[in-house]
């Protein structure tokens, strides 16, 4: 393991992080764009600053990482990029998370565009999780969790390991013919 700390809202720190990783390992085989933030506020209380913060981490950082690492992967004529979006970017609408939802929709578009940009050497796919037991969701009101759980066909939130297993599959040779795809992992939310 080679941990590198970086502020993903800072392009210079992202570049330094990528350069350190390449220096340490020689190349990067797999990029998983998994960082994300959500700012819980009502629609009317949202500010432009909230939007900028959310977009910086959830959409602009993945673009910068994809561009920098994609350029390196092209040199080796191989690589895998996996974006972690959300069902909020597909078909789950919450006005109180409009900036988050928009950023996750944008990440799905980045997936499709990057797959075209880097074909045929780099596979670019996306995972769209539904409700997952993460730190981000730890403080949700109990009544809200019950309501949302009732809308999930398997009647529970997912676990981070379940999303990681999908990412591991997409990074493997078993997924060698999967490209430019969004895989919804939400337990059957309706």
């Amino acid at each position: 393991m080679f941990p590198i700390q970086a502020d993903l809202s800072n392009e210079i720190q992202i570049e330094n992080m990528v350069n350190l990783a390449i220096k340490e390992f020689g190349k990067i085989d797999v990029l998983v764009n998994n960082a994300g933030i959500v700012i819980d506020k009502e629609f009317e209380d949202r500010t432009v600053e909230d939007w900028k913060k959310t977009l910086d981490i959830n959409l602009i950082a993945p673009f910068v990482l994809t561009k920098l690492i994609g350029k390196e992967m092209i040199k080796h004529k191989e690589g895998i990029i996996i974006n972690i979006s959300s069902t909020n970017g597909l078909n789950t609408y919450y006005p109180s998370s409009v900036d988050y939802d928009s950023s996750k929709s944008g990440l799905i578009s980045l997936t499709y565009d990057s797959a075209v940009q880097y074909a045929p050497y780099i596979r670019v796919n996306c995972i769209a999780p539904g409700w997952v037991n993460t730190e981000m969701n730890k403080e949700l009101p109990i009544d809200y969790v019950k309501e949302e759980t009732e809308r999930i066909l398997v009647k529970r939130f997912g676990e981070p390991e379940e999303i990681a297993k999908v990412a591991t599959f997409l990074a493997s040779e078993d997924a060698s013919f999967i490209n430019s795809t969004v895989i919804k992992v939400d337990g059957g939310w309706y």
Side-chain angles (χ1 to χ4, degrees):
M1 183 170 7
F2 184 69
I4 305 169
Q5 186 172 334
D7 176 353
L8 293 182
S9 66
N10 183 312
E11 190 173 355
I12 292 167
Q13 286 191 34
I14 293 172
E15 286 180 36
N16 290 339
M17 176 181 68
V18 170
N19 290 335
L20 282 170
I22 292 168
K23 184 177 176 187
E24 178 71 16
F25 298 107
K27 67 176 188 160
I28 297 172
D29 298 308
V30 179
L31 166 63
V32 179
N33 283 311
N34 186 44
I37 64 167
V38 65
I39 300 169
D40 289 321
K41 282 186 181 178
E42 291 306 313
F43 187 94
E44 299 82 17
D45 298 329
R46 296 226 167 251
T47 65
V48 169
E49 284 307 309
D50 294 333
W51 274 80
K52 287 180 180 178
K53 264 190 210 174
T54 302
L55 292 175
D56 275 349
I57 300 300
N58 295 3
L59 185 56
I60 295 171
F63 163 72
V64 173
L65 283 159
T66 297
K67 184 175 84 166
L68 294 172
I69 294 172
K71 183 172 129 184
E72 289 298 315
M73 288 175 168
I74 284 292
K75 289 179 187 175
H76 300 281
K77 295 189 175 183
E78 65 179 352
I80 296 159
I81 299 172
I82 301 166
N83 293 319
I84 308 297
S85 179
S86 170
T87 53
N88 287 49
L90 289 170
N91 62 354
T92 310
Y93 310 109
Y94 298 100
S96 60
S97 62
V98 63
D99 52 340
Y100 178 83
D101 300 354
S102 298
S103 71
K104 293 303 185 174
S105 291
L107 192 54
I108 290 168
S109 290
L110 178 64
T111 299
Y112 294 138
D113 290 334
S114 300
V116 172
Q117 174 69 24
Y118 295 122
Y121 302 112
I122 301 170
R123 291 188 294 110
V124 185
N125 290 295
C126 185
I127 301 170
W131 288 111
V132 179
N133 287 317
T134 62
E135 285 295 313
M136 189 182 285
N137 295 326
K138 200 165 94 174
E139 301 297 323
L140 292 171
I142 292 169
D143 290 343
Y144 184 71
V145 170
K146 284 181 185 173
E147 281 175 31
E148 289 299 306
T149 300
E150 282 305 307
R151 297 184 74 179
I152 301 170
L153 296 179
V154 299
K155 301 301 181 207
R156 66 176 178 83
F157 278 28
E159 296 301 326
E161 296 80 10
E162 292 173 301
I163 308 308
K165 286 177 183 179
V166 178
T168 301
F169 167 69
L170 287 173
S172 76
E173 277 302 307
D174 289 339
S176 63
F177 200 58
I178 300 173
N179 196 10
S180 190
T181 296
V182 177
I183 299 176
K184 203 165 68 158
V185 185
D186 66 354
W189 186 91
Y190 69 97

